Amino acid sequence: MRSELVAVLDLGSTKVTAIAAQALEEGMEILGVASTPCRGITRGVVTDLEEASQGIDASVRKLQKDLGTEFESFIVGISGGHIEGNNAQGIKPIVPAARHVTHQDVMEVINHSRAVMIPPDREQIQALPREFQIDGQRGIQRPVGLNGSTLEVTTYVVTGQRTHVQNTEKAVEMAGKRVEQMVLGPLASGIGVLTPEEIQLGAAVVDIGGGKTDLAVFTNGSIAYSYCLPVGSGHVTGDLSKLLKTSPDEAERLKVDDGGALATLIPERESVQVMQLGQIMLRPMQRRVLCEIIESRMREIASMVRQQIEKGGYLAMLPGGVVLTGGGAQMFGTKELFEDVLRHLPV
C-alpha cells in the first residue's frame, strides 16, 4: 500500500536540494531529486533572502517538472550553529493508580517535558521522546497498554534562534511554498545512513557539508546528542585557493579530482597540474603536497568531531562506530584519516 508523497528541502551551504519520496510498507522510494547551486545560505543560516529563495524556487520547479506534480508544502531540514539540543524530563501520575497507560497519557507527559524555559529569542523546533519510565522501570519505548502509577519520559528538545528560523521560513515562502515541518538535519542524516542496530547499540553520524559539519550521536534507539561544527569541505577549497594562488573553481577541481585526506596514502612520485592566477601555463606540483594542505583541514574537522563526542561523554559508548556522510566524506582517504584521529572507534 502506497502513502501520499512527502516533499523535502535540504538547504545546504553550496546547494539547495528538493526531494520527493513515498513511504512504502517496507522502506521508502525516492521518486525525484533536484539540486541547484545556491550562495544565499551560510553554515545552515539564511544570509541572503533573495538568493536563498531563488535557489529554493529553482530546485522546486525542477522537481515538480520532473514528476509532473505540484507541491504546496515542504518538510525542511534545519541545522547550524544556532541549533541546540538538550535532554528534558517529564513526569505524570497515572490516575487511578496502576491503571494502563493510554495515548493521552503519553502525549501529556511529552508535553510536560517540552514545557522547559526557553529564552525569548529562541523557539522550539522538535521534541523527540528518547525513553519512557514506568514506576522507575527504564528502557521502555512503547508504554501504551502497560500498567503503572507514574509515567516519566526523557525528551530531546531541539531549539533554534528565532530570527534564523523565521528567515528560513520566509525564504521558502518567497519561493511560493509553505514549511510543513522543520526537522533537525543531523537527525535526518543519522536515520538515513545508520542501521536500526547501530542506532540501538550506539553510533555517531558525521555529515561533512560545504560550510559546516554536523554531528549526531545515537544510543538506545534515539538521538542523544548533536552539534554543528562551523567547518566543512568548502574550507578545504579556500585553503587550496589561498596557498596555491588559484581561483576557487580551480581549487575545487583539484580537491575533487586529485585530492586526498591522508597524504601518506599518496605515492611520492605522483604529480598534478595547477593553473595559478595570472598564469597561462599549467604548473606541475607533487600530489602529496596538495594532499598535505587538504589533510591539515580535514584532520582539524576530525579532531573537532572527537572533542565533541568526548564532551558529550559518548566516546566509550559507540560500539556501532562512526559513519561518515555528506559531500566532504567522498574524498579519498577520509575514512582512513578519521580512523587515525578517532583511534579505537570503527569508521
Side-chain angles (χ1 to χ4, degrees):
M1 179 179 176
R2 290 176 175 266
S3 64
E4 63 183 65
L5 294 180
V6 175
V8 179
L9 278 173
D10 180 27
L11 310 180
S13 301
T14 58
K15 65 182 185 295
V16 171
T17 302
I19 307 165
Q22 196 165 38
L24 306 177
E25 287 185 357
E26 292 186 6
M28 179 165 294
E29 180 184 6
I30 303 297
L31 302 178
V33 179
S35 291
T36 303
C38 180
R39 296 183 179 179
I41 300 160
T42 305
R43 298 171 189 165
V45 172
V46 174
T47 52
D48 187 317
L49 271 174
E50 195 68 32
E51 285 265 7
S53 64
Q54 287 176 3
I56 293 168
D57 183 60
S59 293
V60 168
R61 285 178 182 273
K62 187 176 187 305
L63 181 69
Q64 292 180 156
K65 182 180 178 182
D66 291 345
L67 295 180
T69 303
E70 187 87 11
F71 297 102
E72 294 182 359
S73 62
F74 283 79
I75 295 172
V76 178
I78 189 166
S79 63
H82 70 102
I83 299 294
E84 293 180 2
N86 294 286
N87 290 298
Q89 308 297 318
I91 186 168
K92 179 188 186 301
I94 304 299
V95 182
R99 71 164 169 82
H100 71 270
V101 175
T102 66
H103 287 285
Q104 183 65 29
D105 294 324
V106 171
M107 292 305 300
E108 287 179 7
V109 77
I110 291 173
N111 285 336
H112 182 252
S113 70
R114 293 178 60 181
V116 293
M117 291 295 293
I118 299 174
D121 62 338
R122 302 188 67 80
E123 69 176 77
Q124 202 170 112
I125 296 170
Q126 279 187 292
L128 308 161
R130 293 188 54 203
E131 177 191 56
F132 292 92
Q133 294 184 46
I134 295 180
D135 295 344
Q137 177 61 50
R138 300 188 59 179
I140 298 171
Q141 297 296 325
R142 298 177 182 175
V144 175
L146 298 176
N147 288 63
S149 299
T150 304
L151 177 65
E152 298 176 68
V153 67
T154 300
T155 304
Y156 193 72
V157 179
V158 181
T159 65
Q161 196 79 26
R162 185 179 297 276
T163 52
H164 295 326
V165 174
Q166 290 174 342
N167 286 335
T168 299
E169 292 176 337
K170 190 179 296 184
V172 176
E173 290 168 358
M174 285 175 62
K177 302 301 176 183
R178 178 173 55 85
V179 176
E180 179 181 331
Q181 179 186 353
M182 287 192 177
V183 174
L184 179 65
L187 169 71
S189 296
I191 293 173
V193 303
L194 298 178
T195 66
E197 292 77 17
E198 288 169 335
I199 292 174
Q200 185 63 42
L201 283 172
V205 61
V206 177
D207 187 345
I208 308 174
K212 59 183 176 58
T213 297
D214 287 320
L215 165 69
V217 175
F218 294 78
T219 60
N220 299 321
S222 66
I223 189 169
Y225 185 78
S226 64
Y227 193 80
C228 176
L229 307 173
V231 188
S233 61
H235 292 77
V236 174
T237 304
D239 293 342
L240 292 174
S241 179
K242 291 174 184 176
L243 293 174
L244 301 182
K245 298 180 175 61
T246 70
S247 68
D249 288 343
E250 174 69 358
E252 181 72 13
R253 182 193 69 79
L254 288 166
K255 181 184 75 174
V256 173
D257 294 347
D258 302 301
L262 194 58
T264 54
L265 297 178
I266 309 299
E268 289 187 14
R269 294 184 178 180
E270 287 192 9
S271 64
V272 295
Q273 299 294 317
V274 181
M275 178 60 74
Q276 293 184 308
L277 292 172
Q279 302 297 315
I280 58 173
M281 299 287 289
L282 289 166
R283 174 198 165 196
M285 70 173 291
Q286 282 187 308
R287 187 185 173 202
R288 180 174 281 197
V289 173
L290 169 75
C291 296
E292 285 172 351
I293 297 171
I294 294 171
E295 179 181 337
S296 177
R297 181 67 75 171
M298 293 297 287
R299 188 172 288 276
E300 177 193 22
I301 294 173
S303 298
M304 292 171 74
V305 166
R306 180 185 174 90
Q307 288 170 7
Q308 286 302 319
I309 294 175
E310 285 182 328
K311 182 179 177 182
Y314 294 102
L315 196 61
M317 299 172 62
L318 302 177
V322 174
V323 176
L324 305 177
T325 186
Q330 298 179 38
M331 191 186 307
F332 173 73
T334 301
K335 174 181 178 291
E336 289 78 5
L337 173 68
F338 270 78
E339 285 176 336
D340 182 52
V341 174
L342 299 177
R343 295 178 192 150
H344 305 301
L345 282 177
V347 179

